[in-house]
Tab-separated table of all heavy atoms in Angstrom:
chain	number	residue	atom	x	y	z
A	265	VAL	N	-7.653	-22.704	-12.779
A	265	VAL	CA	-7.352	-23.485	-13.981
A	265	VAL	C	-5.884	-23.887	-13.986
A	265	VAL	O	-5.540	-25.040	-14.294
A	265	VAL	CB	-7.699	-22.692	-15.260
A	265	VAL	CG1	-7.137	-23.384	-16.502
A	265	VAL	CG2	-9.213	-22.515	-15.390
A	266	MET	N	-4.997	-22.979	-13.616
A	266	MET	CA	-3.571	-23.299	-13.559
A	266	MET	C	-3.290	-24.426	-12.576
A	266	MET	O	-2.490	-25.329	-12.852
A	266	MET	CB	-2.755	-22.067	-13.177
A	266	MET	CG	-2.509	-21.099	-14.298
A	266	MET	SD	-1.132	-19.973	-13.957
A	266	MET	CE	-1.703	-19.167	-12.481
A	267	VAL	N	-3.925	-24.356	-11.412
A	267	VAL	CA	-3.731	-25.409	-10.412
A	267	VAL	C	-4.194	-26.751	-10.964
A	267	VAL	O	-3.491	-27.766	-10.869
A	267	VAL	CB	-4.485	-25.076	-9.111
A	267	VAL	CG1	-4.385	-26.233	-8.121
A	267	VAL	CG2	-3.923	-23.808	-8.480
A	268	ASN	N	-5.389	-26.772	-11.536
A	268	ASN	CA	-5.936	-28.022	-12.065
A	268	ASN	C	-5.070	-28.603	-13.174
A	268	ASN	O	-4.806	-29.814	-13.205
A	268	ASN	CB	-7.357	-27.787	-12.573
A	268	ASN	CG	-8.045	-29.075	-12.971
A	268	ASN	OD1	-8.240	-29.963	-12.151
A	268	ASN	ND2	-8.405	-29.186	-14.238
A	269	GLU	N	-4.608	-27.753	-14.075
A	269	GLU	CA	-3.833	-28.243	-15.219
A	269	GLU	C	-2.409	-28.627	-14.840
A	269	GLU	O	-1.804	-29.473	-15.488
A	269	GLU	CB	-3.795	-27.160	-16.311
A	269	GLU	CG	-5.135	-26.878	-16.957
A	269	GLU	CD	-5.685	-28.073	-17.720
A	269	GLU	OE1	-4.905	-28.738	-18.418
A	269	GLU	OE2	-6.889	-28.342	-17.589
A	270	THR	N	-1.869	-28.017	-13.803
A	270	THR	CA	-0.479	-28.271	-13.421
A	270	THR	C	-0.353	-29.345	-12.347
A	270	THR	O	0.550	-30.186	-12.397
A	270	THR	CB	0.182	-26.970	-12.914
A	270	THR	OG1	-0.008	-25.930	-13.880
A	270	THR	CG2	1.678	-27.163	-12.680
A	271	LEU	N	-1.268	-29.324	-11.380
A	271	LEU	CA	-1.159	-30.210	-10.221
A	271	LEU	C	-2.300	-31.221	-10.104
A	271	LEU	O	-2.158	-32.233	-9.430
A	271	LEU	CB	-1.112	-29.377	-8.934
A	271	LEU	CG	0.037	-28.371	-8.824
A	271	LEU	CD1	-0.117	-27.529	-7.572
A	271	LEU	CD2	1.371	-29.087	-8.817
A	272	GLY	N	-3.436	-30.927	-10.719
A	272	GLY	CA	-4.567	-31.837	-10.636
A	272	GLY	C	-5.517	-31.494	-9.502
A	272	GLY	O	-5.264	-30.601	-8.685
A	273	GLU	N	-6.611	-32.242	-9.441
A	273	GLU	CA	-7.677	-31.952	-8.475
A	273	GLU	C	-7.224	-32.083	-7.029
A	273	GLU	O	-7.804	-31.477	-6.130
A	273	GLU	CB	-8.865	-32.883	-8.723
A	273	GLU	CG	-9.600	-32.608	-10.030
A	273	GLU	CD	-10.832	-33.468	-10.189
A	273	GLU	OE1	-11.234	-34.115	-9.192
A	273	GLU	OE2	-11.389	-33.507	-11.299
A	274	GLU	N	-6.182	-32.859	-6.788
A	274	GLU	CA	-5.724	-33.083	-5.416
A	274	GLU	C	-5.344	-31.778	-4.726
A	274	GLU	O	-5.462	-31.638	-3.509
A	274	GLU	CB	-4.530	-34.037	-5.424
A	274	GLU	CG	-4.104	-34.512	-4.048
A	274	GLU	CD	-3.006	-35.545	-4.121
A	274	GLU	OE1	-2.661	-35.994	-5.235
A	274	GLU	OE2	-2.474	-35.888	-3.047
A	275	TRP	N	-4.861	-30.807	-5.486
A	275	TRP	CA	-4.464	-29.521	-4.909
A	275	TRP	C	-5.612	-28.515	-4.882
A	275	TRP	O	-5.455	-27.432	-4.334
A	275	TRP	CB	-3.304	-28.929	-5.701
A	275	TRP	CG	-1.940	-29.139	-5.091
A	275	TRP	CD1	-1.306	-28.317	-4.192
A	275	TRP	CD2	-1.023	-30.214	-5.348
A	275	TRP	NE1	-0.058	-28.824	-3.889
A	275	TRP	CE2	0.146	-29.978	-4.586
A	275	TRP	CE3	-1.071	-31.343	-6.164
A	275	TRP	CZ2	1.248	-30.832	-4.609
A	275	TRP	CZ3	0.028	-32.196	-6.183
A	275	TRP	CH2	1.163	-31.942	-5.407
A	276	LEU	N	-6.757	-28.863	-5.451
A	276	LEU	CA	-7.874	-27.920	-5.508
A	276	LEU	C	-8.712	-27.957	-4.233
A	276	LEU	O	-9.919	-28.183	-4.250
A	276	LEU	CB	-8.750	-28.211	-6.730
A	276	LEU	CG	-8.226	-27.687	-8.074
A	276	LEU	CD1	-9.119	-28.164	-9.213
A	276	LEU	CD2	-8.142	-26.156	-8.076
A	277	THR	N	-8.060	-27.731	-3.106
A	277	THR	CA	-8.731	-27.644	-1.815
A	277	THR	C	-8.040	-26.553	-0.997
A	277	THR	O	-6.873	-26.228	-1.257
A	277	THR	CB	-8.659	-28.968	-1.018
A	277	THR	OG1	-7.350	-29.098	-0.428
A	277	THR	CG2	-8.942	-30.177	-1.902
A	278	PRO	N	-8.733	-26.000	0.011
A	278	PRO	CA	-8.089	-24.993	0.859
A	278	PRO	C	-6.880	-25.520	1.621
A	278	PRO	O	-6.067	-24.735	2.104
A	278	PRO	CB	-9.211	-24.588	1.827
A	278	PRO	CG	-10.482	-24.948	1.122
A	278	PRO	CD	-10.161	-26.175	0.328
A	279	ASP	N	-6.763	-26.846	1.741
A	279	ASP	CA	-5.598	-27.413	2.426
A	279	ASP	C	-4.316	-27.212	1.636
A	279	ASP	O	-3.220	-27.232	2.205
A	279	ASP	CB	-5.801	-28.915	2.668
A	279	ASP	CG	-6.887	-29.201	3.685
A	279	ASP	OD1	-7.139	-28.330	4.542
A	279	ASP	OD2	-7.487	-30.288	3.624
A	280	TRP	N	-4.445	-27.018	0.291
A	280	TRP	CA	-3.255	-26.974	-0.550
A	280	TRP	C	-3.171	-25.754	-1.463
A	280	TRP	O	-2.149	-25.555	-2.119
A	280	TRP	CB	-3.177	-28.251	-1.407
A	280	TRP	CG	-3.086	-29.478	-0.572
A	280	TRP	CD1	-4.048	-30.440	-0.424
A	280	TRP	CD2	-2.007	-29.884	0.277
A	280	TRP	NE1	-3.628	-31.412	0.454
A	280	TRP	CE2	-2.376	-31.092	0.898
A	280	TRP	CE3	-0.756	-29.327	0.567
A	280	TRP	CZ2	-1.540	-31.762	1.785
A	280	TRP	CZ3	0.082	-29.992	1.460
A	280	TRP	CH2	-0.322	-31.190	2.053
A	281	PHE	N	-4.225	-24.952	-1.502
A	281	PHE	CA	-4.172	-23.741	-2.318
A	281	PHE	C	-5.000	-22.661	-1.652
A	281	PHE	O	-6.130	-22.915	-1.215
A	281	PHE	CB	-4.687	-23.990	-3.736
A	281	PHE	CG	-4.405	-22.855	-4.687
A	281	PHE	CD1	-3.139	-22.680	-5.227
A	281	PHE	CD2	-5.399	-21.954	-5.028
A	281	PHE	CE1	-2.867	-21.608	-6.080
A	281	PHE	CE2	-5.145	-20.890	-5.885
A	281	PHE	CZ	-3.868	-20.726	-6.416
A	282	ARG	N	-4.435	-21.461	-1.566
A	282	ARG	CA	-5.110	-20.332	-0.946
A	282	ARG	C	-4.932	-19.086	-1.808
A	282	ARG	O	-3.973	-18.964	-2.564
A	282	ARG	CB	-4.510	-20.023	0.438
A	282	ARG	CG	-4.630	-21.125	1.459
A	282	ARG	CD	-5.998	-21.202	2.092
A	282	ARG	NE	-6.039	-22.234	3.109
A	282	ARG	CZ	-5.650	-22.062	4.370
A	282	ARG	NH1	-5.211	-20.871	4.767
A	282	ARG	NH2	-5.713	-23.047	5.230
A	283	PHE	N	-5.851	-18.164	-1.635
A	283	PHE	CA	-5.718	-16.816	-2.183
A	283	PHE	C	-5.499	-15.853	-1.021
A	283	PHE	O	-6.319	-15.812	-0.095
A	283	PHE	CB	-6.981	-16.383	-2.929
A	283	PHE	CG	-7.244	-17.114	-4.212
A	283	PHE	CD1	-8.248	-18.077	-4.283
A	283	PHE	CD2	-6.504	-16.833	-5.353
A	283	PHE	CE1	-8.503	-18.744	-5.473
A	283	PHE	CE2	-6.761	-17.489	-6.547
A	283	PHE	CZ	-7.754	-18.456	-6.609
A	284	GLY	N	-4.408	-15.089	-1.067
A	284	GLY	CA	-4.228	-14.017	-0.109
A	284	GLY	C	-4.918	-12.788	-0.664
A	284	GLY	O	-4.447	-12.200	-1.641
A	285	ALA	N	-6.041	-12.396	-0.082
A	285	ALA	CA	-6.854	-11.363	-0.722
A	285	ALA	C	-7.675	-10.606	0.305
A	285	ALA	O	-8.043	-11.147	1.346
A	285	ALA	CB	-7.786	-11.989	-1.752
A	286	SER	N	-7.972	-9.369	-0.024
A	286	SER	CA	-8.910	-8.604	0.792
A	286	SER	C	-10.099	-8.158	-0.053
A	286	SER	O	-11.246	-8.225	0.372
A	286	SER	CB	-8.218	-7.393	1.422
A	286	SER	OG	-7.544	-6.640	0.435
A	287	SER	N	-9.832	-7.737	-1.297
A	287	SER	CA	-10.925	-7.240	-2.147
A	287	SER	C	-11.538	-8.321	-3.038
A	287	SER	O	-12.631	-8.126	-3.569
A	287	SER	CB	-10.426	-6.089	-3.024
A	287	SER	OG	-9.346	-6.509	-3.835
A	288	LEU	N	-10.859	-9.445	-3.214
A	288	LEU	CA	-11.361	-10.497	-4.108
A	288	LEU	C	-12.726	-11.009	-3.670
A	288	LEU	O	-13.606	-11.261	-4.509
A	288	LEU	CB	-10.358	-11.647	-4.168
A	288	LEU	CG	-10.808	-12.911	-4.918
A	288	LEU	CD1	-11.105	-12.614	-6.382
A	288	LEU	CD2	-9.743	-14.013	-4.793
A	289	LEU	N	-12.921	-11.194	-2.376
A	289	LEU	CA	-14.155	-11.804	-1.894
A	289	LEU	C	-15.387	-11.049	-2.372
A	289	LEU	O	-16.377	-11.668	-2.785
A	289	LEU	CB	-14.138	-11.892	-0.364
A	289	LEU	CG	-15.397	-12.496	0.276
A	289	LEU	CD1	-15.674	-13.900	-0.258
A	289	LEU	CD2	-15.264	-12.510	1.797
A	290	ASN	N	-15.357	-9.724	-2.342
A	290	ASN	CA	-16.544	-8.959	-2.749
A	290	ASN	C	-16.911	-9.214	-4.201
A	290	ASN	O	-18.090	-9.337	-4.546
A	290	ASN	CB	-16.307	-7.468	-2.517
A	290	ASN	CG	-16.509	-7.074	-1.061
A	290	ASN	OD1	-16.881	-7.909	-0.241
A	290	ASN	ND2	-16.248	-5.825	-0.746
A	291	ASP	N	-15.923	-9.280	-5.079
A	291	ASP	CA	-16.237	-9.537	-6.481
A	291	ASP	C	-16.791	-10.950	-6.661
A	291	ASP	O	-17.735	-11.163	-7.437
A	291	ASP	CB	-14.998	-9.354	-7.356
A	291	ASP	CG	-15.368	-9.315	-8.839
A	291	ASP	OD1	-15.962	-8.303	-9.268
A	291	ASP	OD2	-15.094	-10.304	-9.562
A	292	LEU	N	-16.241	-11.918	-5.942
A	292	LEU	CA	-16.780	-13.281	-6.001
A	292	LEU	C	-18.234	-13.304	-5.546
A	292	LEU	O	-19.079	-13.990	-6.150
A	292	LEU	CB	-15.936	-14.218	-5.139
A	292	LEU	CG	-14.546	-14.565	-5.665
A	292	LEU	CD1	-13.706	-15.203	-4.565
A	292	LEU	CD2	-14.628	-15.517	-6.865
A	293	LEU	N	-18.541	-12.560	-4.495
A	293	LEU	CA	-19.914	-12.532	-3.994
A	293	LEU	C	-20.861	-11.896	-4.999
A	293	LEU	O	-21.984	-12.376	-5.212
A	293	LEU	CB	-19.970	-11.780	-2.664
A	293	LEU	CG	-19.268	-12.443	-1.474
A	293	LEU	CD1	-19.300	-11.534	-0.264
A	293	LEU	CD2	-19.888	-13.804	-1.164
A	294	MET	N	-20.411	-10.814	-5.647
A	294	MET	CA	-21.268	-10.165	-6.650
A	294	MET	C	-21.520	-11.083	-7.842
A	294	MET	O	-22.643	-11.170	-8.353
A	294	MET	CB	-20.641	-8.846	-7.091
A	294	MET	CG	-20.729	-7.753	-6.034
A	294	MET	SD	-20.183	-6.124	-6.615
A	294	MET	CE	-18.423	-6.372	-6.771
A	295	GLN	N	-20.496	-11.787	-8.285
A	295	GLN	CA	-20.670	-12.719	-9.396
A	295	GLN	C	-21.542	-13.904	-8.994
A	295	GLN	O	-22.340	-14.411	-9.798
A	295	GLN	CB	-19.302	-13.215	-9.882
A	295	GLN	CG	-18.445	-12.146	-10.527
A	295	GLN	CD	-19.056	-11.607	-11.813
A	295	GLN	OE1	-19.769	-12.302	-12.523
A	295	GLN	NE2	-18.786	-10.332	-12.109
A	296	ARG	N	-21.415	-14.329	-7.745
A	296	ARG	CA	-22.247	-15.434	-7.252
A	296	ARG	C	-23.721	-15.019	-7.226
A	296	ARG	O	-24.610	-15.795	-7.604
A	296	ARG	CB	-21.775	-15.836	-5.849
A	296	ARG	CG	-22.345	-17.156	-5.335
A	296	ARG	CD	-21.755	-17.482	-3.961
A	296	ARG	NE	-22.061	-18.852	-3.585
A	296	ARG	CZ	-23.172	-19.236	-2.989
A	296	ARG	NH1	-24.123	-18.329	-2.714
A	296	ARG	NH2	-23.369	-20.518	-2.672
A	297	GLN	N	-23.977	-13.797	-6.784
A	297	GLN	CA	-25.352	-13.292	-6.766
A	297	GLN	C	-25.920	-13.184	-8.173
A	297	GLN	O	-27.095	-13.500	-8.409
A	297	GLN	CB	-25.386	-11.932	-6.069
A	297	GLN	CG	-25.114	-11.982	-4.572
A	297	GLN	CD	-24.887	-10.616	-3.960
A	297	GLN	OE1	-24.992	-9.595	-4.640
A	297	GLN	NE2	-24.555	-10.579	-2.674
A	298	LYS	N	-25.090	-12.767	-9.107
A	298	LYS	CA	-25.549	-12.634	-10.491
A	298	LYS	C	-25.941	-13.995	-11.067
A	298	LYS	O	-26.953	-14.134	-11.766
A	298	LYS	CB	-24.469	-11.992	-11.358
A	298	LYS	CG	-24.892	-11.756	-12.810
A	298	LYS	CD	-23.799	-11.040	-13.576
A	298	LYS	CE	-24.284	-10.696	-15.002
A	298	LYS	NZ	-24.600	-11.891	-15.800
A	299	LEU	N	-25.144	-15.031	-10.754
A	299	LEU	CA	-25.468	-16.367	-11.263
A	299	LEU	C	-26.770	-16.898	-10.673
A	299	LEU	O	-27.538	-17.591	-11.347
A	299	LEU	CB	-24.325	-17.335	-10.949
A	299	LEU	CG	-23.058	-17.225	-11.798
A	299	LEU	CD1	-22.006	-18.215	-11.314
A	299	LEU	CD2	-23.356	-17.471	-13.276
A	300	SER	N	-27.012	-16.577	-9.409
A	300	SER	CA	-28.201	-17.132	-8.752
A	300	SER	C	-29.468	-16.334	-9.030
A	300	SER	O	-30.573	-16.892	-9.036
A	300	SER	CB	-27.973	-17.229	-7.239
A	300	SER	OG	-27.779	-15.944	-6.683
A	301	THR	N	-29.334	-15.030	-9.284
A	301	THR	CA	-30.526	-14.194	-9.462
A	301	THR	C	-30.697	-13.685	-10.888
A	301	THR	O	-31.780	-13.226	-11.255
A	301	THR	CB	-30.467	-12.963	-8.532
A	301	THR	OG1	-29.389	-12.112	-8.953
A	301	THR	CG2	-30.257	-13.380	-7.085
A	302	GLY	N	-29.601	-13.724	-11.664
A	302	GLY	CA	-29.660	-13.179	-13.009
A	302	GLY	C	-29.455	-11.681	-13.056
A	302	GLY	O	-29.467	-11.072	-14.122
A	303	ARG	N	-29.243	-11.061	-11.875
A	303	ARG	CA	-29.044	-9.613	-11.802
A	303	ARG	C	-27.701	-9.319	-11.157
A	303	ARG	O	-27.285	-10.012	-10.218
A	303	ARG	CB	-30.152	-8.940	-10.994
A	303	ARG	CG	-31.548	-9.133	-11.578
A	303	ARG	CD	-32.584	-8.364	-10.779
A	303	ARG	NE	-32.599	-8.755	-9.370
A	303	ARG	CZ	-33.262	-9.795	-8.894
A	303	ARG	NH1	-33.973	-10.561	-9.709
A	303	ARG	NH2	-33.229	-10.078	-7.602
A	304	TYR	N	-27.053	-8.282	-11.654
A	304	TYR	CA	-25.782	-7.866	-11.092
A	304	TYR	C	-26.050	-6.838	-10.001
A	304	TYR	O	-26.534	-5.743	-10.275
A	304	TYR	CB	-24.887	-7.274	-12.186
A	304	TYR	CG	-23.475	-6.981	-11.719
A	304	TYR	CD1	-22.562	-8.001	-11.500
A	304	TYR	CD2	-23.048	-5.670	-11.495
A	304	TYR	CE1	-21.275	-7.743	-11.063
A	304	TYR	CE2	-21.767	-5.405	-11.067
A	304	TYR	CZ	-20.873	-6.438	-10.863
A	304	TYR	OH	-19.594	-6.184	-10.427
A	305	SER	N	-25.721	-7.180	-8.766
A	305	SER	CA	-26.092	-6.337	-7.631
A	305	SER	C	-25.238	-5.089	-7.499
A	305	SER	O	-25.724	-4.023	-7.125
A	305	SER	CB	-25.986	-7.146	-6.327
A	305	SER	OG	-26.869	-8.237	-6.359
A	306	GLY	N	-23.945	-5.197	-7.803
A	306	GLY	CA	-23.060	-4.045	-7.667
A	306	GLY	C	-22.455	-3.977	-6.278
A	306	GLY	O	-22.889	-4.655	-5.329
A	307	PRO	N	-21.435	-3.151	-6.104
A	307	PRO	CA	-20.667	-3.116	-4.853
A	307	PRO	C	-21.435	-2.615	-3.646
A	307	PRO	O	-21.020	-2.859	-2.508
A	307	PRO	CB	-19.496	-2.166	-5.194
A	307	PRO	CG	-19.960	-1.359	-6.356
A	307	PRO	CD	-20.874	-2.252	-7.131
A	308	ASP	N	-22.542	-1.918	-3.852
A	308	ASP	CA	-23.302	-1.424	-2.701
A	308	ASP	C	-23.996	-2.560	-1.938
A	308	ASP	O	-24.498	-2.345	-0.829
A	308	ASP	CB	-24.380	-0.437	-3.150
A	308	ASP	CG	-23.782	0.870	-3.657
A	308	ASP	OD1	-22.599	1.132	-3.326
A	308	ASP	OD2	-24.478	1.620	-4.367
A	309	TYR	N	-24.024	-3.754	-2.526
A	309	TYR	CA	-24.732	-4.875	-1.914
A	309	TYR	C	-23.798	-5.824	-1.149
A	309	TYR	O	-24.218	-6.868	-0.697
A	309	TYR	CB	-25.508	-5.657	-2.980
A	309	TYR	CG	-26.720	-4.903	-3.489
A	309	TYR	CD1	-26.587	-3.916	-4.458
A	309	TYR	CD2	-27.984	-5.159	-2.972
A	309	TYR	CE1	-27.689	-3.196	-4.910
A	309	TYR	CE2	-29.096	-4.462	-3.424
A	309	TYR	CZ	-28.941	-3.477	-4.393
A	309	TYR	OH	-30.028	-2.768	-4.847
A	310	VAL	N	-22.533	-5.440	-1.042
A	310	VAL	CA	-21.598	-6.220	-0.219
A	310	VAL	C	-20.914	-5.275	0.747
A	310	VAL	O	-20.805	-4.072	0.499
A	310	VAL	CB	-20.541	-6.950	-1.084
A	310	VAL	CG1	-21.188	-8.045	-1.908
A	310	VAL	CG2	-19.802	-5.967	-1.998
Side-chain angles (χ1 to χ4, degrees):
V265 169
M266 281 199 300
V267 175
N268 187 61
E269 293 296 318
T270 308
L271 301 175
E273 291 185 12
E274 189 175 353
W275 261 271
L276 281 174
T277 78
D279 291 334
W280 299 111
F281 191 77
R282 298 281 183 84
F283 291 105
S286 52
S287 59
L288 172 61
L289 179 57
N290 280 357
D291 192 71
L292 288 166
L293 293 175
M294 287 187 289
Q295 293 295 330
R296 193 177 192 274
Q297 291 169 3
K298 183 176 185 297
L299 285 178
S300 63
T301 67
R303 299 184 302 276
Y304 188 74
S305 299
D308 291 341
Y309 288 81
V310 292

